Amino acid sequence: MVYLPKISGIYLAYAVQALILFQVGYSISIGDYFLAIVGFFGFFLTTVPHIVSRRTDICMPWEVNLLIALSLYLHVAGHISAYYDLFAPYYDKIAHFVSSITVSVLGFAMVLIVDRYSGLRLTRPMIVFFIVIFTMALGAFWEIYEFTFDNLFGTQLQHGLEDTMYDLIFDLVGAAIIAVVGNFYLRRVEKEEMARMFLHPGQGE
């Protein structure tokens, strides 16, 4: 019974991955092959943690894998099933919020692992600051991607300056939440011990 939550979480992540493939199949059925390719690429990204885990010492907890799958599903379904339009503007903000949480957690894991293996000896404030900056940087690159696609291919990923600013604000809120949580744990747990959460058992010893 101790392992039930973990097993349930793993299968829940698989279920979300299956939903992404369902969206890909639906896109193919309606003849939108471009979005089908986008959706399949999103599914491929959900498998990256597994690939990395097999080839390196890094092993993400199932909660992180679930967040990755959920973030990508929201993006894929938002386009293929037009949820961005059907539930505008709330769906877009929820998707940005979940994605920013996911990116922040990945940034947190990355800086802990890099700090451990590089000997940078980063302080707690530096780690917390990195979480926010890392998330906001990727959020800005995402807005640039949307702007570029809109201008090159005539899409409507962005809906004006106000929409872009709200997206960035939600990115900041998600980053701030993880930064606060990370700061809370780093006050109570050694960063080396936290880094072991993202490594295969025995690799962080």
Side-chain angles (χ1 to χ4, degrees), residues 95-159:
H96 266 274
F97 178 70
V98 174
S99 297
S100 67
I101 291 287
T102 304
V103 170
S104 298
V105 171
L106 290 174
F108 187 32
M110 182 177 72
V111 72
L112 288 174
I113 294 171
V114 169
D115 179 73
R116 174 172 181 79
Y117 285 106
S118 66
L120 288 175
R121 300 183 183 277
L122 297 175
T123 63
R124 175 171 47 81
M126 292 170 66
I127 293 174
V128 171
F129 180 71
F130 175 84
I131 294 172
V132 177
I133 295 301
F134 178 75
T135 305
M136 293 304 298
L138 289 187
F141 278 118
W142 182 263
E143 296 302 323
I144 293 172
Y145 144 76
E146 290 186 337
F147 175 80
T148 302
F149 256 63
D150 286 351
N151 282 273
L152 291 179
F153 303 107
T155 56
Q156 293 183 329
L157 300 177
Q158 290 187 322
H159 302 280

Side-chain angles (χ1 to χ4, degrees), residues 42-133:
F43 172 78
F44 168 75
L45 291 179
T46 66
T47 68
V48 170
H50 176 69
I51 296 172
V52 172
S53 177
R54 289 178 61 90
R55 299 189 176 185
T56 69
D57 296 336
I58 300 173
C59 182
M60 290 295 169
W62 67 262
E63 293 91 342
V64 178
N65 292 329
L66 177 59
L67 274 174
I68 293 172
L70 180 60
S71 299
L72 290 166
Y73 168 75
L74 289 173
H75 175 65
V76 170
H79 288 298
I80 293 178
S81 295
Y83 291 153
Y84 282 124
D85 297 324
L86 290 174
F87 304 109
Y90 307 107
Y91 187 91
D92 181 48
K93 307 316 169 194
I94 292 173
H96 266 274
F97 178 70
V98 174
S99 297
S100 67
I101 291 287
T102 304
V103 170
S104 298
V105 171
L106 290 174
F108 187 32
M110 182 177 72
V111 72
L112 288 174
I113 294 171
V114 169
D115 179 73
R116 174 172 181 79
Y117 285 106
S118 66
L120 288 175
R121 300 183 183 277
L122 297 175
T123 63
R124 175 171 47 81
M126 292 170 66
I127 293 174
V128 171
F129 180 71
F130 175 84
I131 294 172
V132 177
I133 295 301

